[in-house]
Amino acid sequence: MTVNRLREEVSGLHNELVRYGLVAWTAGNVSGRVPGEDLFVIKPSGISYDDLNPDAIVVCDLDGKVVEGDLDPSSDTAAHAYVYREMPEVGGVVHTHSTYATAWAARAEAIPCVLTAMADEFGGEIPVGPFALIGNDDIGRGIVATLSGHRSPAVLMQNHGVFTIGKDAKAAVKAAVMCEDVARTVHLARQAGDLTPIAAEDIDRLYDRYQNVYGQR
Amino acid sequence: MTVNRLREEVSGLHNELVRYGLVAWTAGNVSGRVPGEDLFVIKPSGISYDDLNPDAIVVCDLDGKVVEGDLDPSSDTAAHAYVYREMPEVGGVVHTHSTYATAWAARAEAIPCVLTAMADEFGGEIPVGPFALIGNDDIGRGIVATLSGHRSPAVLMQNHGVFTIGKDAKAAVKAAVMCEDVARTVHLARQAGDLTPIAAEDIDRLYDRYQNVYGQR
Amino acid sequence: MTVNRLREEVSGLHNELVRYGLVAWTAGNVSGRVPGEDLFVIKPSGISYDDLNPDAIVVCDLDGKVVEGDLDPSSDTAAHAYVYREMPEVGGVVHTHSTYATAWAARAEAIPCVLTAMADEFGGEIPVGPFALIGNDDIGRGIVATLSGHRSPAVLMQNHGVFTIGKDAKAAVKAAVMCEDVARTVHLARQAGDLTPIAAEDIDRLYDRYQNVYGQR
Amino acid sequence: MTVNRLREEVSGLHNELVRYGLVAWTAGNVSGRVPGEDLFVIKPSGISYDDLNPDAIVVCDLDGKVVEGDLDPSSDTAAHAYVYREMPEVGGVVHTHSTYATAWAARAEAIPCVLTAMADEFGGEIPVGPFALIGNDDIGRGIVATLSGHRSPAVLMQNHGVFTIGKDAKAAVKAAVMCEDVARTVHLARQAGDLTPIAAEDIDRLYDRYQNVYGQR
């Protein structure tokens, strides 16, 4: 995939964040790794989703330095860059402050796996990462430390919001959409009484099947 | 109704799932029985609602084997097929993970009938079906066992989501829409205090009238 | 206003019920009195909002008998007709099962007036009407008995939903929109702690000012 | 910026209130100060957002008297005018009854700062202003007294709703959008358990960075 085709795809994927109500104003961003190169593309900082287009998407190296583009990149660029440096299997990263997921993050509480759809996509609970300030590698470090060796492609960064990863940008967006969906459903379920757990071995079976069988061959 | 006309209808009915916010990403599906034949049509697996069209809809026999179509059918096809095999009066099946209904399912709790609209459409509570893994007939068996001899066209499958049935696909979609609507209203009502019950004989009167009088003759 | 102009207006006002999310499937209706005649126009029964148009709107006399139109009128026609017979100052009636308002109705609990916007539009609490079955004048009787001598243009019919009245159909639709809006806000406010009351004389002042000063002269 | 260009901008910004669901019917308004003149422009009273256009926007002096425009200005004009008189640095004011923020206002409770996005935009809690009746300068006085010397551009007026300020109308609209967003997230977070606080010095660091670094240079 060329850089320009990737810019187009990443620009368009921001529409999914808007469609599913995961972002307010300009607070959320998608990035994608350029296949075979030490580069990724990301949303510019503070640009509204209505004004986004492929040309506005910024190309950065894995230290987060701009190598192409007229605009300043997302203020979350350092976190995305850190993930691409440390997790070579990751091809896409998404960040949102989606409402229900961020509510769990404001309590620093992991979302328990009580839905088959959650077992399918996340393979267990959605974990909490540390509180970290913006401005250096602390957020990236927290994401990588939490997701390494975890099946979940989503982490709730304490008092902050959600970061998701995927094999490409679209997969990371799907994880962000599903993260908010299950965060909301489990929040509502627990409001009204005790949750019914799913046995660990059933979570394993659901996860294995979904990762291998779902969708088109 | 020809198979192609049914494909068109079933394809279009997925828009109602989107419109009413019952589905995230690709997680929900509609099927319809081909009148007079041992066949039904169903959504393909993992295809986005934007990309759905009549040609993408898959035709299956009542064992869930594809007889026409280029795509793999929904991963829930076995459950739909089981319902069509065991409940000959059913002409349409819908599956969603709609938020509030699934929240009740995560507690394995039936929705009590405290609304006249719920008496109209469901004739009583919306029942809970068993926990069942995907991959064989367990989900279908749970749906049929729960709904047989019940007035409700909707069942909350434990830790999973909703299945609804109807005389045709449109009726099953309506049941899915109304199920989420009453799941939300009753959830919110109970959050704030004790529910006011409706007498069983009034539920019967409402159900009988609605099934016979509502709509155009 | 001619009957045809009124049909157009009442048909179009249903779009506001959809826009504000007050209705699911076909469950909600607007009617308007024909000025200077013992007639009103109302939505047909079980027709989707997408398919509604001025020609589909039914003209009824004040006993609810169809005098013009090819379709059967709303199953709530008897309630609308009763209101027009008994409250000559009423020019529009709206019925919905809007979520939050219906949640209060499922507990048979009035909505306390703790918002200035509620004082403006409703002049105090939104009251609860009796449980009543469809099929005769019981619902209409309950609406009229509750709203007569009350400043609120909205009543929460127990276990059922909302009926609103207004000087014309648009005013009744506005009351239905504002009823759901305050039902939601007060529900959420009370979930999290004690409500701060508004003094009765301040409610009076707000109501008097809004009814006389708001909008264009 | 000419008055006509400002009218266009302020007219268009009302679409953001609609898009983010901050307003029902006609209950919310945006105003903007005319640069270099003792004038501001504001929404007319009781006009629907669909019918709004630049010509409908009213020009007022800082006493709230109409100097140009055919329509009566918003019933909240006196409050906007008071803010422009007393806070010369303010270039835009927004008023809404957005649901979650107004729910906090109905309990007269400030929103605690437990989200990094809230530290960024509000620099701490969102404070509560006094109960005040419409009709004189009391609301304006309450806004100015609460926001003077406060970092938050938003105030929750008790039992009423939200007023936000900004360097221009767009900044005030952004504050209104973010206020509802954090009001909702913190409400939901606290429903389910104890909030995790953010240290005061971290709030300071986040606020300083966001005000100086975010967006394009």
Side-chain angles (χ1 to χ4, degrees):
Chain A
M1 185 183 295
T2 64
V3 172
N4 281 346
R5 181 64 200 84
L6 183 63
R7 277 171 143 176
E8 220 175 283
E9 182 183 312
V10 165
S11 176
L13 281 167
H14 285 87
N15 295 335
E16 299 295 317
L17 305 189
V18 173
R19 181 208 295 240
Y20 285 102
L22 308 188
V23 288
W25 211 248
T26 62
N29 38 72
V30 179
S31 72
R33 190 195 290 268
V34 182
E37 299 194 52
D38 283 346
L39 298 173
F40 66 97
V41 308
I42 192 165
K43 178 180 181 291
S45 182
I47 301 297
S48 85
Y49 299 106
D50 285 357
D51 295 338
L52 213 55
N53 61 60
D55 289 344
I57 298 292
V58 184
V59 186
C60 294
D61 67 21
L62 297 196
D63 292 320
K65 285 228 304 263
V66 176
V67 302
E68 199 185 321
D70 299 327
L71 298 170
D72 290 330
S74 165
S75 61
D76 299 303
T77 296
H80 290 250
Y82 189 92
V83 173
Y84 289 119
R85 283 206 305 281
E86 300 295 321
M87 302 182 93
E89 73 281 13
V90 168
V93 178
V94 171
H95 174 47
T96 79
H97 302 157
S98 68
T99 302
Y100 282 86
T102 303
W104 289 88
R107 294 189 312 272
E109 184 177 7
I111 308 176
C113 183
V114 294
L115 302 171
T116 56
M118 202 174 161
D120 288 348
E121 175 75 23
F122 299 95
E125 69 168 24
I126 299 178
V128 175
F131 179 80
L133 289 180
I134 199 166
N136 57 27
D137 278 344
D138 285 359
I139 293 177
R141 220 185 301 272
I143 297 166
V144 170
T146 310
L147 294 185
S148 295
H150 207 289
R151 289 198 290 213
S152 171
V155 52
L156 311 172
M157 293 299 284
Q158 181 188 315
N159 297 113
H160 183 173
V162 182
F163 281 87
T164 61
I165 57 176
K167 69 177 178 7
D168 54 25
K170 190 177 177 185
V173 169
K174 182 190 179 190
V177 170
M178 298 312 291
C179 178
E180 181 65 6
D181 194 58
V182 301
R184 179 171 43 231
T185 304
V186 181
H187 173 96
L188 292 167
R190 206 179 56 175
Q191 274 191 318
D194 290 336
L195 300 170
T196 303
I198 303 181
E201 58 270 27
D202 287 335
I203 292 175
D204 290 348
R205 277 190 205 113
L206 286 161
Y207 181 73
D208 289 345
R209 188 176 199 281
Y210 189 79
Q211 299 299 320
N212 297 313
V213 174
Y214 189 78
Q216 301 299 319
R217 280 163 298 197
Chain B
M1 187 182 292
T2 65
V3 172
N4 282 345
R5 182 64 199 85
L6 182 64
R7 278 171 141 173
E8 220 175 282
E9 181 184 313
V10 165
S11 176
L13 281 167
H14 285 86
N15 296 334
E16 300 295 317
L17 305 189
V18 173
R19 181 208 294 241
Y20 285 102
L22 307 188
V23 288
W25 210 250
T26 61
N29 39 72
V30 180
S31 71
R33 190 195 290 267
V34 183
E37 299 193 52
D38 283 346
L39 298 172
F40 66 98
V41 307
I42 191 165
K43 179 180 181 291
S45 182
I47 301 297
S48 84
Y49 300 106
D50 285 356
D51 295 338
L52 212 55
N53 60 60
D55 289 345
I57 298 292
V58 183
V59 185
C60 294
D61 67 21
L62 297 195
D63 292 320
K65 286 228 305 264
V66 176
V67 302
E68 199 185 322
D70 299 327
L71 299 170
D72 290 331
S74 166
S75 62
D76 300 303
T77 296
H80 291 250
Y82 190 92
V83 174
Y84 290 119
R85 284 207 303 282
E86 300 295 322
M87 303 181 93
E89 73 282 14
V90 168
V93 177
V94 171
H95 174 47
T96 79
H97 302 156
S98 68
T99 303
Y100 282 85
T102 303
W104 290 88
R107 294 188 312 271
E109 184 178 7
I111 308 176
C113 183
V114 294
L115 302 171
T116 56
M118 202 174 161
D120 289 349
E121 176 75 23
F122 300 94
E125 69 168 25
I126 298 178
V128 175
F131 179 80
L133 289 179
I134 199 166
N136 57 26
D137 279 344
D138 285 359
I139 294 177
R141 220 185 302 271
I143 298 166
V144 170
T146 311
L147 293 185
S148 295
H150 207 290
R151 290 198 290 214
S152 170
V155 52
L156 311 172
M157 292 300 283
Q158 182 188 312
N159 298 112
H160 183 175
V162 181
F163 281 86
T164 59
I165 56 176
K167 68 178 180 3
D168 53 26
K170 189 176 178 187
V173 170
K174 182 190 180 190
V177 170
M178 298 313 291
C179 177
E180 180 65 5
D181 194 58
V182 302
R184 179 170 43 232
T185 303
V186 180
H187 174 96
L188 292 167
R190 205 180 57 174
Q191 274 192 318
D194 290 336
L195 300 170
T196 303
I198 304 181
E201 58 270 28
D202 287 334
I203 293 176
D204 289 349
R205 279 191 205 111
L206 286 161
Y207 181 73
D208 289 344
R209 187 176 201 280
Y210 189 78
Q211 299 299 321
N212 296 314
V213 174
Y214 189 78
Q216 300 300 318
R217 278 163 298 197
Chain C
M1 185 182 294
T2 64
V3 172
N4 281 346
R5 181 64 200 85
L6 182 64
R7 276 171 142 174
E8 221 176 279
E9 181 184 313
V10 165
S11 176
L13 281 167
H14 286 86
N15 295 335
E16 299 296 316
L17 305 189
V18 173
R19 181 207 294 240
Y20 285 101
L22 308 188
V23 288
W25 210 249
T26 61
N29 39 72
V30 180
S31 71
R33 189 196 291 267
V34 182
E37 299 194 51
D38 283 346
L39 298 172
F40 66 98
V41 306
I42 191 165
K43 179 181 182 290
S45 182
I47 301 297
S48 84
Y49 300 107
D50 285 357
D51 295 338
L52 212 55
N53 61 58
D55 288 344
I57 298 292
V58 183
V59 186
C60 294
D61 66 21
L62 297 195
D63 292 319
K65 286 227 305 263
V66 176
V67 301
E68 199 186 321
D70 298 328
L71 298 170
D72 289 330
S74 165
S75 63
D76 300 302
T77 296
H80 291 250
Y82 190 92
V83 173
Y84 289 119
R85 283 207 305 280
E86 300 295 321
M87 302 181 94
E89 73 282 14
V90 168
V93 178
V94 171
H95 174 47
T96 81
H97 302 156
S98 69
T99 302
Y100 283 85
T102 303
W104 290 89
R107 293 188 313 272
E109 183 178 8
I111 308 175
C113 182
V114 294
L115 302 172
T116 56
M118 202 175 161
D120 288 348
E121 176 76 21
F122 300 94
E125 69 169 23
I126 299 178
V128 175
F131 180 80
L133 290 180
I134 201 167
N136 56 27
D137 279 343
D138 284 358
I139 294 177
R141 220 184 302 272
I143 297 167
V144 170
T146 310
L147 293 185
S148 294
H150 207 291
R151 289 199 291 214
S152 170
V155 52
L156 311 173
M157 292 300 284
Q158 183 189 313
N159 297 114
H160 183 175
V162 181
F163 281 86
T164 59
I165 57 175
K167 69 177 179 3
D168 53 26
K170 189 177 178 187
V173 169
K174 182 190 179 190
V177 170
M178 298 312 291
C179 178
E180 180 64 6
D181 193 58
V182 301
R184 179 169 46 230
T185 303
V186 179
H187 174 96
L188 292 167
R190 204 178 61 174
Q191 272 192 319
D194 291 335
L195 300 170
T196 303
I198 304 182
E201 59 269 28
D202 287 335
I203 293 176
D204 289 348
R205 278 190 205 112
L206 286 161
Y207 181 72
D208 289 344
R209 187 176 200 281
Y210 189 78
Q211 299 300 321
N212 296 312
V213 174
Y214 188 79
Q216 301 299 319
R217 279 162 299 196
Chain D
M1 185 183 295
T2 65
V3 172
N4 281 346
R5 180 67 199 83
L6 182 64
R7 278 171 141 174
E8 221 176 280
E9 183 184 312
V10 165
S11 176
L13 281 166
H14 286 86
N15 295 335
E16 300 296 317
L17 304 189
V18 173
R19 182 208 293 239
Y20 284 102
L22 308 188
V23 288
W25 211 248
T26 61
N29 38 72
V30 179
S31 71
R33 189 194 290 269
V34 182
E37 299 194 51
D38 283 346
L39 298 172
F40 66 98
V41 307
I42 191 164
K43 179 180 181 293
S45 182
I47 301 297
S48 85
Y49 300 106
D50 285 357
D51 294 339
L52 212 55
N53 61 60
D55 289 343
I57 298 292
V58 184
V59 186
C60 294
D61 66 20
L62 297 195
D63 291 320
K65 286 226 305 261
V66 176
V67 301
E68 199 185 321
D70 298 328
L71 298 170
D72 290 330
S74 164
S75 62
D76 300 303
T77 296
H80 290 251
Y82 190 92
V83 173
Y84 289 119
R85 283 208 304 280
E86 300 294 322
M87 302 182 93
E89 72 281 14
V90 168
V93 177
V94 170
H95 175 47
T96 80
H97 302 156
S98 68
T99 303
Y100 283 85
T102 303
W104 290 89
R107 294 188 312 271
E109 183 178 8
I111 309 175
C113 182
V114 294
L115 302 171
T116 56
M118 203 175 159
D120 288 349
E121 175 76 22
F122 299 95
E125 69 168 25
I126 298 178
V128 175
F131 180 80
L133 289 180
I134 201 166
N136 57 26
D137 279 343
D138 284 358
I139 293 177
R141 220 184 303 272
I143 298 166
V144 170
T146 310
L147 293 185
S148 295
H150 207 290
R151 290 198 291 214
S152 170
V155 52
L156 311 172
M157 293 300 285
Q158 182 188 314
N159 297 113
H160 183 173
V162 182
F163 281 86
T164 61
I165 57 175
K167 69 176 177 5
D168 53 25
K170 190 177 177 187
V173 169
K174 182 190 179 191
V177 170
M178 298 312 291
C179 178
E180 180 64 6
D181 194 58
V182 302
R184 179 170 45 230
T185 303
V186 180
H187 173 96
L188 293 167
R190 205 179 57 174
Q191 272 191 319
D194 291 335
L195 300 170
T196 303
I198 304 181
E201 58 269 27
D202 287 336
I203 293 175
D204 290 347
R205 278 190 206 113
L206 286 161
Y207 181 72
D208 289 344
R209 186 175 201 282
Y210 188 78
Q211 299 299 322
N212 296 312
V213 174
Y214 188 78
Q216 301 299 318
R217 278 163 300 198

